[in-house]
Amino acid sequence: MIFRYSAIFLLGLLTVTSLASTSVTVEELTNAIGAPKCMQKCMNSFIVNLYDALTNSSINHATKVMCKEYDKFVECTTKDRYVCPYEVVYNFAFEGISSFCSEKETPNSACLDEKLSVVAKTCDGRCHVLDQIDDMFQRRTMKIMAKHSGNPQIFIENLTEFCQSLSCFIPCFKRNLERGCGKDGHHFLVHAVKPFYSLVREMKKKPAMKPMLEKRVPKTCHFLFNKVVLDYYTTY
């Protein structure tokens, strides 16, 4: 369950950082993964507001808006925690944003403001992540799940090509963002992969979890819970 909500975070993040539009709406995405309606109440509006903040503002301003919207999201989920008890999922999926917003000072983002979307578009041009999102939601089963309510396992089974593109995108994004923005670029990446480090820690505490994930999750996605690979992404 944790993996699929981390996948939501990355799908949203890559769409935002590429400043590109896919044919997939937030509601379709959260429907497809089988997110309960009570969860969508808080999560959908947060993702939409996050997208608006990062595409309509400079990154420096957007980080303030992002953290303000995250506070609203936390307040919303706290109010509903007894009827919609998914705090563990939220903590995993949005850990990167939470850790970023909990810092006393956001990093100097002038370079990110200039380079982030350019780097993302360049790497997506090579790796076709956004095309894979669109292609995935053109499949008949995914269309039905996006319209109504999905099955988490079926959603995961459809991530093969997406993860293959993602395994191309992230190293490209790392190289180019660090080359262009140095430590600011690295800092951004560290926060982006935090949900997957949490997954690795959870697997270490629960050894039976790893073989289950390896069996149910497409092999092309396994790098997302491989600590050696994650360490490479976060080494400057």
Side-chain angles (χ1 to χ4, degrees):
M1 182 170 69
I2 296 302
F3 178 86
R4 79 172 187 266
Y5 290 110
S6 296
I8 291 181
F9 173 77
L10 269 180
L11 283 167
L13 175 66
L14 292 174
T15 302
V16 167
T17 54
S18 297
L19 300 184
S21 60
T22 71
S23 61
V24 183
T25 67
V26 171
E27 184 178 5
E28 287 172 335
L29 175 60
T30 51
N31 276 344
I33 63 161
K37 290 298 180 184
C38 71
M39 179 184 286
Q40 293 188 36
K41 173 187 171 184
C42 298
M43 188 165 64
N44 287 13
S45 60
F46 171 57
I47 294 174
V48 169
N49 290 337
L50 176 62
Y51 178 89
D52 288 342
L54 294 181
T55 55
N56 295 330
S57 310
S58 71
I59 293 296
N60 192 40
H61 174 63
T63 55
K64 296 176 183 177
V65 175
M66 178 182 74
C67 293
K68 185 178 180 181
E69 292 299 332
Y70 179 71
D71 288 341
K72 290 180 183 177
F73 168 74
V74 171
E75 184 180 354
C76 178
T77 59
T78 301
K79 285 180 181 177
D80 292 345
R81 66 185 181 277
Y82 296 115
V83 293
C84 196
Y86 293 101
E87 287 179 274
V88 172
V89 173
Y90 301 140
N91 290 342
F92 270 82
F94 300 111
E95 183 182 3
I97 295 175
S98 176
S99 64
F100 183 88
C101 293
S102 66
E103 293 187 346
K104 292 183 179 179
E105 295 182 6
T106 56
N108 182 343
S109 57
C111 184
L112 291 178
D113 191 21
E114 179 185 354
K115 303 283 187 182
L116 188 64
S117 63
V118 175
V119 169
K121 285 179 181 178
T122 298
C123 293
D124 188 58
R126 294 177 185 172
C127 304
H128 310 292
V129 173
L130 294 174
D131 287 343
Q132 290 299 342
I133 297 173
D134 282 336
D135 289 348
M136 182 168 64
F137 277 82
Q138 289 303 310
R139 298 167 192 165
R140 183 174 179 274
T141 301
M142 292 295 288
K143 282 184 176 180
I144 294 171
M145 295 201 305
K147 186 176 181 180
H148 302 288
S149 183
N151 179 295
Q153 184 56 43
I154 294 175
F155 179 83
I156 289 173
E157 289 170 358
N158 278 271
L159 290 175
T160 299
E161 291 82 4
F162 168 74
C163 285
Q164 190 170 6
S165 289
L166 195 61
S167 67
C168 163
F169 181 94
I170 296 178
C172 175
F173 193 65
K174 170 186 168 64
R175 286 192 304 271
N176 286 279
L177 198 60
E178 289 182 346
R179 187 181 300 145
C181 294
K183 289 186 177 180
D184 281 356
H186 173 70
H187 188 79
F188 183 87
L189 288 164
V190 168
H191 286 286
V193 301
K194 278 198 172 186
F196 300 102
Y197 268 114
S198 293
L199 181 59
V200 169
R201 288 195 299 271
E202 195 70 13
M203 289 166 61
K204 190 173 182 179
K205 288 190 287 185
K206 301 174 182 176
M209 190 177 175
K210 184 175 181 179
M212 180 188 70
L213 279 175
E214 289 177 339
K215 182 179 180 181
R216 295 185 178 183
V217 174
K219 289 183 179 180
T220 56
C221 301
H222 287 189
F223 75 97
L224 290 171
F225 48 87
N226 184 320
K227 187 176 182 299
V228 174
V229 176
L230 295 177
D231 286 346
Y232 163 71
Y233 293 153
T234 56
T235 299
Y236 182 64

